[in-house]
Amino acid sequence: MSGATARTPAHALDIERIRADFPILNQDINSHPLVFLDNAASSQKPRSVIDAISSYYQRDHANVHRGVHTLSQRATDAYEAARSKLAGFLGATSDKEVVFTRGTTEAINLVAYSFVEPRVGKGDEILITTMEHHSNIVPWQLLCERTGAVLKVAPINDDGEIKLDEMFAMIGPRTKFVSVVHLSNALGTINPVRRIADAAHAAGAFVLVDGAQSAPRMRINVAALGADFFALSGHKTYAPTGIGVLWGKAELFDEMRPYQGGGEMILSVTFEKTVFNEVPAKFEAGTPHIAGAIGFGAAVDYIESIGIDAIEAHEHDLLLYAADRLPEIAGLRIIGCAREKAGVHSFVLDGIHPHDVGTILDNEGVAIRTGHHCAQPVMQRFGIAATVRASFGLYNTRAEVDRLVAGLGKVREIFG
Ligand code: PLP
């Protein structure tokens, strides 16, 4: 990795103990111990998260917010306690700034529909970057179709960094909203979101940060990031699928229209008029994913018991180690060499299709992802169809990086 900056080393993690917390890791795949390097797609779950969900269903399940009986109160308490944990995890000033969603995708769609759409008209501009995940592209395209707004895309350089000067020059009086990824799932680039948010705010625009990949990998403080909205997914953060969070500034949430209508999000309903509930309930129509939220709270507890700074330092060590070892494979080219990078190495092997690489690695028990990683414009930018992507989690080890490199060596043997 060219010029990757060294981070302050944190206390070394007790990886063997951590690995024992993740039951799924203790298995063979194709007669080899599993090496799981597909964490950017979805990470594995510690026993404490699995137990929290199981215990909720075995002892406390009932619908939330509506019952006077004990189980409903227990479920409500656990659901709201999870919200508080997420607020603390993100550095939010109030639980009201935490809305549970299905994930990052739904959080971005919610902001597009409820916040941005009423504020834009023909010729107004939404600014994103070339390195966005499809979930931070398509909602804006749909919005532009509905409103006549224009989608602008800031370019990236050959190292996979945003060309900031060009991006800043694109921010002007027509710019109404800037939506940018914090940590690219396809390249590993960490973007200077604070600087981007400041530039957007100076022009009167609002900002969303897609934190799907950063939330599991680095300390998040929404105030320090300077954004108006921040989105994350539970399943990439050691929590269940189907749950995520949209953080937003309370005063913006207050003035936004609801995203969906239904139960929970109302105070009163007559056929003549419905009065909406306060935030965050206004954005949580219908029965929520109670178990998912509780699992997300348990995942936050787990991450905090280890320490997010220690996790960041550990993954950074793996990233640097892999950056040293991967070039040992002939014809391997890393896609994305940003100075600020975390969690992910995307690469191609000359003359070998990524899917073939993935299949051979799976035979060796090594799980990586191949394809466009829901970031096809990134692939187009680099003139490739797909990459192989190894992405790290807090339980990965240098020995697993060695297994990856050995597996890639086999790929080279087979394909020559
Ligand atoms: N944004 C980024 C950077 C991602 O990596 C992903 C998932 O890979 C998403 C958004 C979408 O997340 P989800 O599918 O959990 O909604």
Side-chain angles (χ1 to χ4, degrees), residues 40-42 102-108 131-136 181-186 210-214 231-236 242-243 373-374 389:
S42 199
R102 282 194 299 124
T104 303
T105 303
E106 189 177 48
I108 296 172
M131 71 172 84
E132 302 307 320
H133 187 278
H134 295 164
S135 63
N136 200 23
V181 68
H182 196 183
L183 197 177
S184 157
N185 67 310
D210 170 354
Q213 298 296 341
S214 58
L232 66 154
S233 295
H235 70 100
K236 298 183 195 291
I243 190 78
H373 317 296
C374 295
R389 182 184 70 186

Side-chain angles (χ1 to χ4, degrees), residues 9-13 219 306-316 394:
H11 297 296
L13 299 184
R219 183 173 297 283
I306 290 165
I308 190 75
D309 297 334
I311 293 169
E312 181 180 1
H314 174 70
E315 286 193 29
H316 194 65
L394 59 90

